[in-house]
Amino acid sequence: MTEPATVKAALTSQSIETPSWAYGNSGTRFKVFARPGVPRTPQEKLDDAAKVHEFTGAAPTVALHIPWDRVDDYAALAAHARDRGLTLGTVNANTFQDDDFRLGSVCHPDPAVRRKALDHLLACVDIMDATGSRDLKLWFADGTNYPGQDDVRERQDRLAEALAAVYEQLGDDQRMLLEYKLFEPAFYTTDVPDWGTAYAHCLKLGPRAQVVVDTGHHAPGTNIEFIVATLLREGRLGAFDFNSRFYADDDLMVGAADPFQLFRIMYEVVRGGGLTADVAFMLDQCHNIEEKIPAIIRSVMNVQEATAKALLVDREALAAAQRTGDVLEANTVLMDAYNTDVRPLLAEVREEQGLDGDPMAAYRRSGWATKTAEERIGGQQAGWGA
C-alpha cells in the first residue's frame, strides 16, 4: 500500500498546463456563445489563468496557440506571465486556418504551400526561443476526402521532410510533440491518424520527438491506456491533451464522459513512471455553454482526483493477484482504489499548501467573474468565432 506521505508528495508536485484558447470564446462548429468578461488579449488570458493556478496550486504553465496568441513582443508576454506566477508552456502551431491549406499544409501537393506551412512552424520555434518554452506541439489537419485525391505515400514523405526541418531547428532542451487524430476534417485519409504513425515519424527524428495522446482523438472503444503504457515503455510519451468526448472530438471537460477511463490512463502513467518523467499534462478543451474559469478549475481537479486514485492502487496486492491468476481479486484491487473518495485527501493537500481546500468555492468568493465582466468592456473578445 502506498504511504499517504508519498501520495501527497506526488500530488503536490503534479502540474497541469492550461490552454490559452480555453479562456476565450470557443466551442462547436455551429455557434460560439460569448460571455461577459472573456479576455480580449493574450495578457488577459494569462490573468485568468493565474486565477486557476491561485486556487488550485497545480496549473503554473499556460500553452500558447499561434496566431491566436500573436503579440509583438513575446519576451514581454513571458514577463507578464512571470509577474502573475506563471510561465509560458507549449507553443501550438496552426496550419489549419488559412485558405491556402485547403488541400493540406506540410503535406500539400504544391511546394509553395508546403514552404508557407514550414515557415510558420519555424516561426513558432523562434517564439519558443523568445518565451523560454520547451515544447512545440504539432497537429495537422492534413488529409484527403476522396480516393485518388493525392498520393498517400508521397504525403508521408512530405510530412517527414517538414518534420525533419523543424526538428533540426530545435534547441538541445526543446522538444517536438506530434499529435494524432483518427479523422476530421479529412474523412478518407488523415496524414497522422494514429499513435503508430506519430511514433514511426518520431522514431526516425530522434529522442526529442515525442508523441502526444489526446484523449478525444480515438475511435469509440479504443484502449487508450494500452497506448499510454506502450509509449511510456518505449520512452516516447511526451504529453497528454486531456479532454472528454462522447462520439468524436468533442473537447469536453476531462473526466466528464468517462472518469473511469481517466483513472485507468493515470494508473498506467503511475505504473510506467510517467509522473516523474518529462510527460506534460495539458488540457485541450473548449468551454462554450459553461463558465470558462470554473470549468478549467474543475478540469484540473478531475485530473488530480484520477491521479490520487491511481496512486492509491495497492500495487503489491495487484501484482500478487496477477501472478496467481486471481482475475476477480486483481480487478477488485483496482476498483477499490477507483471507488475511494479522494476529495478529503486532496483538500488536505491543498490546505497544507496554504490553499483553500475547495478551489471552486474559493473562486466563487473571489469576485473575479464580476470584476472582469465590469472591466472588460469594449474591444474584441478572444476566440476563433463560429
Side-chain angles (χ1 to χ4, degrees):
M1 179 71 70
T2 307
E3 293 294 326
T6 302
V7 174
K8 286 185 176 182
L11 292 170
T12 301
S13 63
Q14 184 181 35
S15 64
I16 300 158
E17 185 166 292
T18 67
S20 68
W21 54 95
Y23 296 98
N25 289 323
S26 59
T28 72
R29 292 142 183 85
F30 304 102
K31 170 65 177 174
V32 172
F33 299 102
R35 300 187 68 92
V38 165
R40 299 160 296 181
T41 66
Q43 290 82 359
E44 289 182 349
K45 292 178 185 178
L46 293 175
D47 295 343
D48 283 0
K51 290 298 170 182
V52 174
H53 185 47
E54 176 183 339
F55 295 116
T56 64
T61 62
V62 181
L64 299 181
H65 206 297
I66 308 301
W68 299 341
D69 294 314
R70 181 177 287 149
V71 294
D72 294 330
D73 189 336
Y74 289 99
L77 187 66
H80 185 90
R82 287 194 298 273
D83 289 344
R84 281 143 186 81
L86 303 170
T87 56
L88 298 181
T90 307
V91 173
N92 292 256
N94 183 319
T95 57
F96 52 86
Q97 285 190 314
D98 189 302
D99 285 347
D100 286 342
F101 300 148
R102 180 171 58 89
L103 299 179
S105 60
V106 296
C107 300
H108 198 286
D110 185 341
V113 176
R114 296 202 299 273
R115 183 70 239 183
K116 178 177 180 177
L118 178 58
D119 286 344
H120 170 70
L121 302 184
L122 296 177
C124 287
V125 177
D126 292 337
I127 293 170
M128 294 168 65
D129 295 337
T131 59
S133 299
R134 178 187 66 170
D135 293 337
L136 172 68
K137 188 167 67 177
L138 304 178
W139 172 72
F140 299 105
D142 293 36
T144 64
N145 276 355
Y146 295 97
Q149 176 182 323
D150 200 357
D151 189 299
V152 173
R153 179 165 176 160
E154 282 189 12
R155 291 180 72 91
Q156 288 297 308
D157 292 339
R158 299 167 198 159
L159 173 63
E161 182 179 359
L163 293 176
V166 177
Y167 190 84
E168 182 67 25
Q169 193 74 13
L170 294 175
D172 292 341
D173 296 326
Q174 294 174 333
R175 305 189 305 174
M176 173 192 295
L177 304 178
L178 183 57
E179 188 174 351
Y180 60 90
K181 188 175 183 180
L182 176 66
F183 72 98
E184 193 191 36
F187 290 97
Y188 174 62
T189 63
T190 300
D191 289 313
V192 190
D194 50 44
W195 71 272
T197 304
Y199 173 70
H201 281 285
C202 289
L203 203 60
K204 280 193 172 183
L205 290 167
R208 287 177 291 116
Q210 302 275 305
V211 179
V212 178
V213 174
D214 185 307
T215 50
H217 285 189
H218 303 83
T222 298
N223 191 315
I224 300 175
E225 57 267 34
F226 174 81
I227 299 170
V228 170
T230 301
L231 290 173
L232 275 170
R233 183 174 179 270
E234 297 298 318
R236 291 287 175 164
L237 179 62
F240 283 99
D241 271 359
F242 282 127
N243 54 53
S244 277
R245 62 110 175 96
F246 284 95
Y247 299 107
D249 179 21
D250 291 336
D251 281 340
L252 301 175
M253 288 170 50
V254 58
D258 189 351
F260 185 48
Q261 180 191 64
L262 181 60
F263 161 74
R264 300 194 308 267
I265 290 170
M266 290 310 304
Y267 174 70
E268 292 303 333
V269 170
V270 171
R271 167 69 179 83
L275 285 184
T276 55
D278 286 331
V279 178
F281 299 99
M282 302 183 285
L283 303 180
D284 182 11
Q285 302 176 170
C286 302
H287 304 294
N288 193 21
I289 61 172
E290 66 269 35
E291 292 183 73
K292 302 176 195 314
I293 296 177
I296 298 170
I297 290 174
R298 178 65 61 81
S299 297
V300 171
M301 294 172 66
N302 287 350
V303 175
Q304 289 179 308
E305 289 179 18
T307 304
K309 292 180 178 186
L311 288 164
L312 289 175
V313 172
D314 189 336
R315 290 170 60 180
E316 290 184 6
L318 180 61
Q322 291 169 342
R323 283 193 301 270
T324 60
D326 192 336
V327 176
L328 292 179
E329 178 60 21
N331 179 250
T332 297
V333 172
L334 273 182
M335 294 307 299
D336 283 347
Y338 176 69
N339 289 322
T340 302
D341 184 358
V342 296
R343 290 174 297 178
L345 171 64
L346 281 162
E348 190 176 320
V349 168
R350 296 183 188 109
E351 288 166 356
E352 290 175 358
Q353 294 178 279
L355 304 172
D356 192 293
D358 186 345
M360 292 289 286
Y363 171 74
R364 297 291 187 195
R365 291 194 304 271
S366 74
W368 183 254
T370 301
K371 173 182 169 63
T372 54
E374 292 173 349
E375 294 180 352
R376 295 174 183 172
I377 297 174
Q380 183 173 346
Q381 293 184 330
W384 63 63

